[in-house]
Amino acid sequence: MCGVFGAFSHNGHSVLEDVYLGLYALQHRGQESAGITWINSDNTMHSQRGNGLVHLALDQSELAKINTNCAIGHVRYSTAGGSDINNAQPLTASNSKGSVAVAHNGNITNAEALKQYLENRGAIFHSQTDTEVLLHLMAHQPHKPFIDALIDSLRRLRGAYSLAIILNGTLVAARDPWGFRPLVLGQREDITYISSETCALDLVGAQVIREVSPGEVVVIDKEGLHSIKIPVQVKRHYQCSFEYVYFARPDSVLAGKSVYAVRKALGHCLAHRAPCPGAHMVTGMPDSGTIASMGFAEGSGLPYEKAIVRNRYVGRTFIDPTQRVRELGVRIKLNPITELTKDQKIVVIDDSIVRGTTSQRIIAMIRSCGAQEIHVRISSPPVCFPCYYGIDTPSRVELAAARMDIKELQKKIGADSLQYITEEDLITAIGLPKSELCTACFTGEYMEGEEPDDLEL
Ligand code: AMP
Ligand code: SF4
């Protein structure tokens, strides 16, 4: 999963700080690397990229000195390609027609086939990312204006792409025809923004204009906004339901639905689907289960307690993994409050179980604090299938719910009971039609029969 952000000032105001701030607000979408590309007054393109969190990867004081009216940025969570700095985005390229920079969220499912095809025609790839195929597809159409080469290249891609692009000094937003990943447009004074989520627009003080529609390319230049359709016919849309469950920030709004409200509704559904009579209280796994646990408490009438405390200063690479530290494991990050849990029958809510290690460790910890019974409730259906559309889930053999039935999984994680919501509950809580949503990691029903008819360039 990744995050993209872009800004264009119609009156030549500087936008680089806004793009930096936008990436800061999208940090939850990727912590592996961050990058910004901008256009200078002489129309040349420049970039800063680095590994790690935004404030470590990018030099804010250097960026603040630069005056540019057009810039894009990216935070990366590696799905395709490793953590090599060559895979950090935006990716840039130029030829005699001009220059292009691309920041991509999603995963192009036919990237390998396209790469083979392009390599056979002489292309040499610089990175391991799926995104680079887009630049090569464009480069192989030198007879066309850049924007036409872009649209023609996009129509050959399958899978998920939400893009922020700089094309010869104009800003371009593009979203795949299936609408897998979010992408929204915003405005503050003379600046137009592209963002993965609305929370980043809030930070720069922009109002939401609208979402980029599935299959739409929006060109943002001095003349204003201009919309073009990617010529691909689709049977239905596949907006990612897992964004609501876990990935997006709760203060974002996706497709008109507040992520916070959906998580609360998931908790309500869970209380009705899998009640826990006789329990003393409900608590949530911080922070992923917090909002759903509040919904469960409301729906069940049980009191909500913040019984597990998170050390909010723990980062990803924080301490040497000595044997003692490994044994402490999740306790470094999370700690139950013994005074609340002792002799209690507790409902513990989390948004999902992937490999099962987090729940197993937390349950052992709560039990060691004297809890009498621990009932685990999950505010999504069992994750049984990998995602091919840009969320980093392990292969099927590593997914706990794919290897075991619910009783076996309950035993593995050490819970007194374990229950989930259903796919129907998930769709009801989101409030969008089933035909608009992807639920493939829960059901195995991937996008089908939408292969490109021709590759020939
Ligand atoms: P696990 O220990 O593998 O079962 O991980 C479950 C936890 O990881 C849950 O608390 C989720 O909130 C969180 N989670 C779910 N999906 C992902 C993902 N794609 N990347 C990182 N964390 C995730
Ligand atoms: Fe989202 Fe799951 Fe579909 Fe991937 S498979 S796009 S995580 S709903």
Side-chain angles (χ1 to χ4, degrees), residues 22-56:
L23 293 185
Y24 216 82
L26 297 174
Q27 185 76 83
H28 61 291
R29 298 185 72 86
Q31 302 88 40
E32 195 127 353
S33 67
I36 294 186
T37 297
W38 65 92
I39 290 286
N40 267 2
S41 50
D42 60 357
N43 239 359
T44 52
M45 208 152 65
H46 300 267
S47 300
Q48 237 193 50
R49 295 185 203 91
N51 281 329
L53 300 178
V54 172
H55 71 284
L56 299 171

Side-chain angles (χ1 to χ4, degrees), residues 273-321:
R273 174 69 55 196
C276 198
H280 295 117
M281 64 151 139
V282 187
T283 194
M285 211 78 98
D287 296 316
S288 50
T290 305
I291 301 167
S293 64
M294 287 158 63
F296 190 100
E298 275 180 14
S300 63
L302 290 171
Y304 166 78
E305 295 286 358
K306 205 166 167 33
I308 308 167
V309 175
R310 181 192 176 97
N311 175 346
R312 70 173 83 121
Y313 302 101
V314 173
R316 269 157 64 94
T317 48
F318 57 101
I319 202 167
D320 281 337

Side-chain angles (χ1 to χ4, degrees), residues 246-257:
Y246 170 74
F247 221 87
R249 251 172 63 164
D251 49 341
S252 285
V253 176
L254 308 179
K257 309 285 178 191

Side-chain angles (χ1 to χ4, degrees), residues 77 242 246-247 285 288-289 350-359 391-394 400:
Y77 184 130
F242 207 69
Y246 170 74
F247 221 87
M285 211 78 98
S288 50
D350 203 359
D351 68 292
S352 56
I353 294 177
V354 182
R355 289 185 176 85
T357 31
T358 309
S359 342
I391 285 194
D392 186 32
T393 41

Side-chain angles (χ1 to χ4, degrees), residues 103-117:
H104 173 204
N105 173 208
N107 191 45
I108 298 164
T109 50
N110 63 339
E112 271 312 306
L114 287 169
K115 198 171 168 181
Q116 268 306 249
Y117 173 79

Side-chain angles (χ1 to χ4, degrees), residues 232-438:
V232 174
Q233 291 297 327
V234 298
K235 296 192 188 75
R236 50 162 292 190
H237 293 144
Y238 286 87
Q239 195 194 313
C240 173
S241 57
F242 207 69
E243 294 268 356
Y244 291 101
V245 169
Y246 170 74
F247 221 87
R249 251 172 63 164
D251 49 341
S252 285
V253 176
L254 308 179
K257 309 285 178 191
S258 146
V259 174
Y260 179 90
V262 170
R263 286 190 192 156
K264 203 92 183 280
L266 288 167
H268 273 267
C269 281
L270 192 54
H272 291 111
R273 174 69 55 196
C276 198
H280 295 117
M281 64 151 139
V282 187
T283 194
M285 211 78 98
D287 296 316
S288 50
T290 305
I291 301 167
S293 64
M294 287 158 63
F296 190 100
E298 275 180 14
S300 63
L302 290 171
Y304 166 78
E305 295 286 358
K306 205 166 167 33
I308 308 167
V309 175
R310 181 192 176 97
N311 175 346
R312 70 173 83 121
Y313 302 101
V314 173
R316 269 157 64 94
T317 48
F318 57 101
I319 202 167
D320 281 337
T322 60
Q323 187 54 29
R324 175 146 184 263
V325 165
R326 256 194 291 273
E327 277 160 21
L328 282 169
V330 79
R331 187 149 223 151
I332 294 173
K333 205 158 88 175
L334 303 171
N335 192 30
I337 301 175
T338 308
E339 290 69 20
L340 284 175
T341 52
K342 196 168 176 348
D343 301 326
Q344 297 291 293
K345 294 180 183 171
I346 305 170
V347 183
V348 180
I349 312 281
D350 203 359
D351 68 292
S352 56
I353 294 177
V354 182
R355 289 185 176 85
T357 31
T358 309
S359 342
Q360 190 174 20
R361 288 180 181 161
I362 294 271
I363 291 164
M365 261 163 48
I366 302 175
R367 242 186 242 295
S368 74
C369 292
Q372 204 181 85
E373 288 176 21
I374 302 165
H375 302 274
V376 176
R377 299 289 182 269
I378 303 294
S379 63
S380 66
V383 176
C384 294
F385 301 89
C387 173
Y388 300 116
Y389 311 119
I391 285 194
D392 186 32
T393 41
S395 63
R396 198 155 147 72
V397 282
E398 292 168 278
L399 289 170
R403 283 190 292 121
M404 302 172 231
D405 65 26
I406 291 188
K407 277 281 160 225
E408 288 168 326
L409 185 51
Q410 173 190 320
K411 207 163 151 208
K412 175 190 148 74
I413 64 173
D416 293 289
S417 74
L418 166 67
Q419 288 189 65
Y420 289 83
I421 58 164
T422 64
E423 187 202 4
E424 287 68 36
D425 294 336
L426 173 65
I427 291 164
T428 307
I430 294 173
L432 292 173
K434 184 177 160 80
S435 60
E436 290 288 312
L437 290 167
C438 177

